[in-house]
Amino acid sequence: MPAPPAPDRQPPRLRFPVHRNSPVALLHGWRLGAVGLALLALLLITLPSGAIQLAENYALGGGLAVALQALQTLPLALSLVQPVAAWASSLAAGTAIALVSTPDGEPWPWPAAGLIAHLGVLLVLVGCCRWWTLLLAALAEPIAVAAVWRLVPEERRPEEIVPLVVIFMLLLVVGLVWSVRRDIRRRLREHERLTEEERARRMVLEDRARVAREMHDVVAHHMSVVTVQAETAPYRLADLPDAVTEEFAAIATSARRSLAEMRQLLGVLRSEPGLSARAPQPALDSLPELADLTRGSGVPVTLRSLPHEVARALPGTVQLACYRIVQEALSNVVRHAPGAATTVELAYASGRVAVDVTNEAPRTTGSPPLERVGTGHGVAGMRHRVDSLGGDLEAGPLPGGGFRVVACLPVGGGTVPVGGGERG
């Protein structure tokens, strides 16, 4: 069977980097739309008004006023995706404005539009970023203001800058406290989640251990008794026909195999979830032996399996699933339709393995069914196994009597027409 084709590799798409705590990453739907519209409206108001104020009242040329105000206002839009970079750009632009402008009876160092734009960027920073980022901002803001205070002439050092710094610091401190509280609550939720997962895991382990104990004490004990009785029957009962002796030997063999699988299952139940059993799992090579055992119970089985080289190339999970599906279907025939002719057919084509188990209507003569009405657990188990591999399962009665189970499992690879050899 050819190897599955490698998946097509698409070239990575280039996109603007988005900060993981930005509004675009944290908000969705109408909340993101509302924040975006608010910032856009603030940008459209502050950009022209701030540029006009810088040109008319802060002794800056028209081009320089527009450029500096744009550097301080456009971060409102940038804060949607990169709040830290937006804050740094706004602070740098505000520092440049304070150094080169000469206010004529206006607030220093920025006009009202610049103050509003910087406060908007700070609000986004406070609402999105972690406490260490806010701590860095809380240290950088007064350092920048102190540097400007030292660089500008003494006559341009108005007292209005003190409440401005206080407002910025209060906003950042409140955001810092809120961010620390948010981190603590997040860690508490994570701890509660891990505790709940551990509790659920412990309950699963306890249930598995209880089921393992019950199976060991009840089922395994009875299987051991059946094995011993079948093996010792030819020695305990005199003058048994050869056919009866062979039947007892077949019963003993089947019971030993079932007991071995029972012990393997008990090992799985007692082990940690997610760990596979160390014992080898049955594969498609074991289907002829399974068919022989079923024939020994009086059910004529015709097996058409896959060629040996194709069967061995299939993944182990697919082989195990096919074996278990056939095993459960044949067990249903033995229980519900003893003596009914049954056909088991496996085929491979277009990267999928099909398993078809069909039995005719049960014979009117012979032994009665072991079970008149099934519980449905067998079909449910087959469906769960097939669904876990991404396949399809159809199971149901036939119009003329009988029952059919068809499973289709994906395995990858190209189209390989397979014709099985009949055994029976």
Side-chain angles (χ1 to χ4, degrees):
M1 182 178 67
D8 296 335
R9 295 187 178 273
Q10 301 293 335
R13 293 184 300 173
L14 297 178
R15 62 177 185 176
F16 192 82
V18 176
H19 193 277
R20 63 188 182 93
N21 291 324
S22 65
V24 169
L26 297 178
L27 302 177
H28 302 280
W30 67 270
R31 293 182 180 85
L32 178 59
V35 173
L37 288 177
L39 293 178
L40 179 61
L42 198 60
L43 187 152
L44 294 177
I45 293 173
T46 56
L47 178 57
S49 62
I52 292 174
Q53 287 181 336
L54 287 177
E56 294 181 353
N57 303 322
Y58 286 79
L60 293 179
L64 182 60
V66 172
L68 290 177
Q69 187 60 38
L71 288 176
Q72 193 176 33
T73 306
L74 290 178
L76 286 169
L78 179 63
S79 63
L80 286 173
V81 292
Q82 288 290 337
V84 179
W87 164 79
S89 174
S90 178
L91 182 62
T95 303
I97 292 174
L99 291 174
V100 301
S101 65
T102 304
D104 184 11
E106 297 293 331
W108 187 89
W110 305 328
L115 293 176
I116 294 173
H118 190 64
L119 282 174
V121 173
L122 278 180
L123 285 174
V124 175
L125 188 75
V126 167
C128 297
C129 292
R130 308 293 290 272
W131 64 269
W132 53 80
T133 304
L134 298 179
L135 180 61
L136 176 62
L139 295 175
E141 292 273 349
I143 290 175
V145 173
V148 171
W149 182 269
R150 295 284 296 176
L151 292 175
V152 299
E154 186 175 354
E155 63 272 9
R156 292 172 53 192
R157 297 176 182 175
E159 299 297 331
E160 291 86 349
I161 194 173
V162 176
L164 180 63
V165 174
V166 171
I167 292 174
F168 289 164
M169 291 300 297
L170 282 177
L171 181 60
L172 289 172
V173 169
V174 170
L176 180 63
V177 173
W178 183 33
S179 178
V180 171
R181 179 174 177 270
R182 185 174 55 195
D183 277 359
I184 293 175
R185 294 183 63 182
R186 179 182 58 81
R187 292 180 182 179
L188 287 175
R189 288 194 300 268
E190 181 68 15
H191 179 71
E192 291 175 357
R193 184 185 65 82
L194 293 176
T195 303
E196 187 64 28
E197 289 181 356
E198 181 62 26
R199 185 183 297 112
R201 177 177 172 273
R202 187 168 59 251
M203 291 178 62
V204 169
L205 289 177
E206 291 175 356
D207 288 341
R208 287 160 63 105
R210 179 180 56 81
V211 172
R213 287 193 302 269
E214 293 294 331
M215 293 179 66
H216 178 270
D217 295 341
V218 180
V219 182
H221 169 72
H222 290 302
M223 292 298 299
S224 300
V225 172
V226 170
T227 304
V228 172
Q229 288 180 337
E231 288 180 339
T232 60
Y235 305 99
R236 292 183 291 102
L237 303 176
D239 301 328
L240 289 179
D242 293 341
V244 176
T245 303
E246 293 177 359
E247 189 71 19
F248 275 124
I251 294 174
T253 302
S254 179
R256 279 197 304 271
R257 183 176 293 104
S258 300
L259 190 59
E261 291 192 1
M262 179 70 66
R263 291 195 181 99
Q264 179 183 339
L265 179 59
L266 291 178
V268 173
L269 287 175
R270 292 190 180 107
S271 65
E272 291 287 334
L275 297 179
S276 60
R278 296 184 179 180
Q281 298 292 326
L284 294 182
D285 292 342
S286 304
L287 284 180
E289 189 175 358
L290 178 62
D292 291 338
L293 289 175
T294 308
R295 295 187 190 101
S297 63
V299 175
V301 178
T302 300
L303 174 64
R304 299 185 181 92
S305 187
L306 298 174
H308 182 67
E309 63 277 5
V310 176
R312 291 188 59 185
L314 294 178
T317 54
V318 175
Q319 294 195 50
L320 177 61
C322 293
Y323 181 89
R324 293 304 186 193
I325 290 170
V326 174
Q327 184 183 43
E328 180 61 30
L330 293 179
S331 298
N332 289 338
V333 175
V334 172
R335 290 196 301 268
H336 303 294
T342 305
T343 301
V344 178
E345 184 172 4
L346 281 77
Y348 174 85
S350 302
R352 299 173 74 87
V353 171
V355 181
D356 188 337
V357 182
T358 306
N359 65 274
E360 299 176 356
R363 296 185 303 182
T364 56
T365 59
S367 59
L370 299 178
E371 298 179 10
R372 294 290 183 180
V373 180
T375 61
H377 296 314
V379 175
M382 287 189 288
R383 192 176 304 279
H384 176 73
R385 189 182 295 274
V386 170
D387 289 342
S388 66
L389 296 177
D392 302 311
L393 177 73
E394 294 183 4
L398 298 175
F403 202 87
R404 187 183 188 191
V405 175
V406 179
C408 193
L409 303 174
V411 295
T415 301
V416 180
V418 174
E422 181 173 339
R423 307 184 186 205

